[in-house]
Amino acid sequence: MISRDQLARYLQGSCSPEEAEEIRQFIEQHSIQVEELLSAEDWDNTADLPYAEETQLKELIEERLIKKRRSISWTRLGQVAAAILIICAVFLYQQRSERAPVHGGEQQKRIVEKKPAAKVGNLFFINSSNEDMNIYCSDGSRIKLSTGSEVRFAENFTSLSERRIELKGKATFFVKKDRSRPFRVYSNKIVTTALGTAFIVEEKIGKTTRVELIEGKIDVKERVVKTKMPIHRQFETRGEILVDHVHKRILSEAKLTQNSNDRNGFYRQQNKQIVIKNLPVIDILNILQHNFNIKLKNASYLAANSFFSGTFREKPDAYKDIIKEINYLHKTNIETLNN
């Protein structure tokens, strides 16, 4: 295929004998269809050429073609001349456009069309087997999906602000550290956030959610806040929390405290009783505020190593008995702001 540069040099008489022969062979061997030689854009460009230049080019082409190939029929000659004329005219037009000055201080702007960001696909797993299923995320985090459970997450987290996992059922998560993209597990009512940790989330749709920290640190809070004292817990040592969504209360909370004694503390509501054992007082007060929808004062000064144990009958105002005992044992003056 001959190029526009070759045609330009041919018309100017500056091409080599080899190039001239190549052009003549092309004209002779190809049945040229003018409409096939140019794109729609090139056809549009030729419309802006001055008529005088078209005439000059045509005369030059016809003169050279007649000298070189007198045996070509006049019909064929017209097709060839017209084709070369259009190609060269487009070439000339482009050359002139590139050299055209910019008037009035205006700058030519190159319009770059921004492509929309590619959508990230989701992966969806259902474990219908009788064994746990190991699933790996794109960041290297591992999910151990329990039988009868479902999980959904993005196939790639690179372009996302968080590593969002939607869970139905139970799963254990082993999370790779990435402080720029928090790892969040969204169960039915609870959101658990982790940064480089291992934890378990187990839910029974519409009833309860259990979150257990195995290693590292997690933040647990309600997905939708509907109470004055919503659930919001942070676990920095091994522990767990069980939330009753029907009655909007914490059924149990357990923590392994970090002190010289390392006690296994917990709070449990079961069998019409509230059982507390070796749990930090500040954690007990947080649970009471949520479960009984109360607000307490004079509680912020309590030391983290203040613990409490006791068993109480479950009733609508059980928090009063618990606070009374805490005040007595720790010489505090904790009061409720609402009756």
Side-chain angles (χ1 to χ4, degrees), residues 134-244:
N134 282 306
I135 303 167
Y136 288 88
C137 303
S138 61
D139 66 334
S141 297
R142 178 166 64 94
I143 302 172
K144 187 167 73 172
L145 189 64
S146 298
T147 182
S149 301
E150 304 175 11
V151 71
R152 184 195 303 270
F153 56 90
E155 61 182 350
N156 195 308
F157 298 126
T158 304
S159 61
L160 305 178
S161 59
E162 68 171 357
R163 294 172 286 173
R164 183 187 182 105
I165 312 294
E166 295 281 350
L167 172 69
K168 291 183 179 180
K170 178 183 178 181
T172 304
F173 301 88
F174 303 89
V175 183
K176 291 290 185 180
K177 290 184 178 180
D178 185 351
R179 295 188 179 277
S180 64
R181 294 182 186 84
F183 189 100
R184 294 192 174 101
V185 177
Y186 291 78
S187 53
N188 185 38
K189 301 287 185 179
I190 295 292
V191 180
T192 305
T193 304
L195 284 171
T197 189
F199 62 97
I200 299 171
V201 177
E202 179 181 9
E203 68 154 12
K204 294 181 179 178
I205 300 297
K207 294 183 179 181
T208 63
T209 300
R210 183 179 74 90
V211 180
E212 178 184 350
L213 174 64
I214 300 173
E215 181 182 358
K217 179 180 178 180
I218 57 174
D219 182 273
V220 180
K221 63 181 180 181
E222 289 183 273
R223 190 164 179 171
V224 179
V225 177
K226 293 183 178 180
T227 62
K228 294 180 181 179
M229 297 300 297
I231 295 173
H232 191 183
R233 295 285 187 279
Q234 285 191 348
F235 290 83
E236 298 184 4
T237 60
R238 183 156 189 168
E240 68 174 61
I241 184 171
L242 177 63
V243 180
D244 178 357

Side-chain angles (χ1 to χ4, degrees), residues 252-255 264-268 275-279 308:
S252 68
E253 182 172 332
K255 286 187 176 181
N264 285 312
F266 64 82
Y267 172 102
R268 290 178 187 156
V275 181
I276 304 171
K277 181 180 179 182
N278 295 332
L279 197 66
F308 178 77

Side-chain angles (χ1 to χ4, degrees), residues 54-68:
E54 290 183 14
T55 303
Q56 183 180 4
L57 282 170
K58 183 177 180 180
E59 291 175 353
L60 182 58
I61 292 169
E62 289 179 345
E63 179 183 352
R64 287 186 174 276
L65 288 176
I66 291 171
K67 286 181 180 180
K68 298 294 181 182

Side-chain angles (χ1 to χ4, degrees), residues 119-138:
K119 292 184 178 179
V120 180
N122 286 323
L123 300 176
F124 181 53
F125 296 88
I126 300 176
N127 187 2
S128 56
S129 69
N130 295 323
E131 298 180 352
D132 291 341
M133 176 190 294
N134 282 306
I135 303 167
Y136 288 88
C137 303
S138 61

Side-chain angles (χ1 to χ4, degrees), residues 108-124:
Q108 292 178 330
K109 295 182 179 180
R110 184 178 181 182
I111 300 175
V112 179
E113 182 180 355
K114 292 184 178 180
K115 295 182 179 180
K119 292 184 178 179
V120 180
N122 286 323
L123 300 176
F124 181 53

Side-chain angles (χ1 to χ4, degrees), residues 45-51 53-54 57 86 89-90 92-93 96:
N45 289 339
T46 60
D48 295 332
L49 283 171
Y51 181 78
E53 291 182 355
E54 290 183 14
L57 282 170
I86 294 171
V90 172
L92 178 61
Y93 175 79
R96 290 184 59 193

Side-chain angles (χ1 to χ4, degrees), residues 63 65-74:
E63 179 183 352
L65 288 176
I66 291 171
K67 286 181 180 180
K68 298 294 181 182
R69 292 296 298 168
R70 294 185 181 276
S71 60
I72 300 177
S73 66
W74 286 106

